[in-house]
């Protein structure tokens, strides 16, 4: 039986993209029974209640943290569980396998930091860090063909497979547990709904000329609006 670990530590931020990715992935994988795979889910203790079969979920192991000195980690590899396959579910999580024999699946969601980093030095520092993780990975997955093209453009993958796997949705049984539907009773027409942080990377402003030409629709924008970009969108409106 192969021992597989799936890192779900990003579920600590449940109401963002990576949090939902881990939440849905963990619940769906925990339903699957296999005589060939023994699954372990890496999760914070306080988030275990989010998952149905939480008895299969493990509290964070301190010595899996990459911030721990390597010599300490190497000593403790003989005392903590090792795995055949380790799924790193986000490119910047802080937990990695200790054993060099563990195969790594690395999911890279995007390379947004290339645009968002405030300085070139920060951009290059993060790119080098991600390159080291790509070097360690045996297999790479990403969420879109665009992200795959960005990975090939900015990183050296050395012939490794990049598999595009689109993000899944929420099944009917989970809808009430993820959130509640906002009250749109005050809107008396058809509308388009945008949800997410109101930042330049979301390109909210391109919706404004669109909605101006759709007289039968209104536009509802929902999300954190602390960024200066939100003020610019309001001004354009």
């Amino acid at each position: 039986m192969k021992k597989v670990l799936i890192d779900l530590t990003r579920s600590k931020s449940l109401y963002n993209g990576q949090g939902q990715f881990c939440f849905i992935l963990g619940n769906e994988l925990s339903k699957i029974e296999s005589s060939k795979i023994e699954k372990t889910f890496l999760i914070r203790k306080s988030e275990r209640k989010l998952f149905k079969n939480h008895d299969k979920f493990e509290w964070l192991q301190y010595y899996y943290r990459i911030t721990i000195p390597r010599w300490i980690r190497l000593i403790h590899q003989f005392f903590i569980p090792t795995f055949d396959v380790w799924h790193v579910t986000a490119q910047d999580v802080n937990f990695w396998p200790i054993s060099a024999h563990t195969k790594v699946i690395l999911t890279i969601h995007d390379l947004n930091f290339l645009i968002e980093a405030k300085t070139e030095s920060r951009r290059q520092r993060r790119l080098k860090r991600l390159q080291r993780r790509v070097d360690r990975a045996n297999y790479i997955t990403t969420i879109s063909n665009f992200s795959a093209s960005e990975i090939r453009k900015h990183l050296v993958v050395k012939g490794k497979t990049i598999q595009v796997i689109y993000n899944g949705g929420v099944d009917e049984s989970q809808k009430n547990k993820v959130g509640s539907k906002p009250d749109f009773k005050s809107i008396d027409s058809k509308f388009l709904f945008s949800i997410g942080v109101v930042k330049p990377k979301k390109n909210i402003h391109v919706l404004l000329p669109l909605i101006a030409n759709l007289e039968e629709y209104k536009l509802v924008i929902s999300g954190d609006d602390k960024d200066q970009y939100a003020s610019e969108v309001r001004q354009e409106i």
Side-chain angles (χ1 to χ4, degrees):
M1 181 176 285
K2 296 293 184 182
K3 298 177 68 176
V4 178
L5 181 139
I6 302 98
D7 184 337
L8 302 179
T9 54
R10 282 307 171 89
S11 59
K12 67 177 182 179
S13 302
L14 185 60
Y15 298 107
N16 65 21
Q18 292 184 17
Q20 284 294 296
F21 177 86
C22 287
F23 173 74
I24 297 170
L25 182 67
N27 274 310
E28 292 303 313
L29 289 180
S30 67
K31 297 176 185 177
I32 301 172
E33 298 295 338
S34 173
S35 59
K36 298 181 179 180
I37 297 176
E38 178 186 336
K39 300 186 295 292
T40 297
F41 300 94
L42 196 63
I43 185 70
R44 293 177 182 273
K45 197 171 185 177
S46 58
E47 271 87 54
R48 289 179 67 186
K49 61 183 181 295
L50 296 173
F51 300 91
K52 290 181 178 178
N53 302 315
H54 59 261
D55 57 310
K56 300 179 181 179
F57 291 71
E58 300 290 339
W59 167 239
L60 299 182
Q61 296 289 346
Y62 178 71
Y63 292 107
Y64 291 134
R65 285 184 179 271
I66 58 176
T67 52
I68 301 298
R70 180 170 173 77
W71 67 271
I72 296 179
R73 295 180 49 174
L74 289 176
I75 292 173
H76 282 82
Q77 70 178 316
F78 302 106
F79 306 102
I80 60 177
T82 57
F83 301 89
D84 298 295
V85 178
W86 184 298
H87 183 187
V88 180
T89 52
Q91 62 263 33
D92 51 358
V93 295
N94 291 321
F95 300 89
W96 280 74
I98 297 173
S99 173
H101 300 292
T102 300
K103 302 294 184 183
V104 173
I105 301 171
L106 171 62
T107 295
I108 301 175
H109 293 268
D110 55 56
L111 298 184
N112 286 350
F113 66 86
L114 294 175
I115 298 172
E116 296 173 349
K118 295 182 179 180
T119 65
E120 180 61 24
S121 61
R122 288 186 182 180
R123 188 178 298 112
Q124 290 303 316
R125 186 162 58 250
R126 292 191 63 176
L127 195 60
K128 288 179 181 178
R129 182 173 62 187
L130 181 54
Q131 181 65 64
R132 289 194 296 270
R133 298 182 175 206
V134 168
D135 292 341
R136 173 65 179 86
N138 300 92
Y139 195 84
I140 300 168
T141 71
T142 190
I143 64 172
S144 70
N145 287 311
F146 174 76
S147 290
S149 66
E150 288 290 282
I151 292 167
R152 293 188 179 97
K153 179 180 178 181
H154 296 284
L155 296 161
V156 180
V157 297
K158 298 180 181 178
K160 294 175 183 175
T161 298
I162 301 178
Q163 179 69 49
V164 175
I165 304 175
Y166 299 116
N167 284 339
V170 182
D171 65 33
E172 291 297 324
S173 65
Q174 293 294 324
K175 282 188 176 179
N176 292 333
K177 296 183 179 181
V178 175
S180 58
K181 183 179 178 180
D183 181 2
F184 292 121
K185 292 180 181 178
S186 60
I187 302 175
D188 56 1
S189 67
K190 296 179 180 179
F191 63 92
L192 303 181
F193 182 48
S194 170
I195 183 169
V197 293
V198 186
K199 291 186 175 182
K201 68 179 182 180
K202 297 298 184 180
N203 286 322
I204 299 294
H205 66 280
V206 305
L207 297 177
L208 303 185
L210 169 68
I211 207 71
N213 287 281
L214 297 175
E215 294 184 359
E216 71 275 27
Y217 284 90
K218 291 183 178 179
L219 174 63
V220 179
I221 302 171
S222 176
D224 190 323
D225 62 352
K226 297 182 181 66
D227 195 89
Q228 173 61 29
Y229 175 72
S231 300
E232 296 170 2
V233 170
R234 283 195 178 90
Q235 183 62 37
E236 189 168 347
I237 292 172

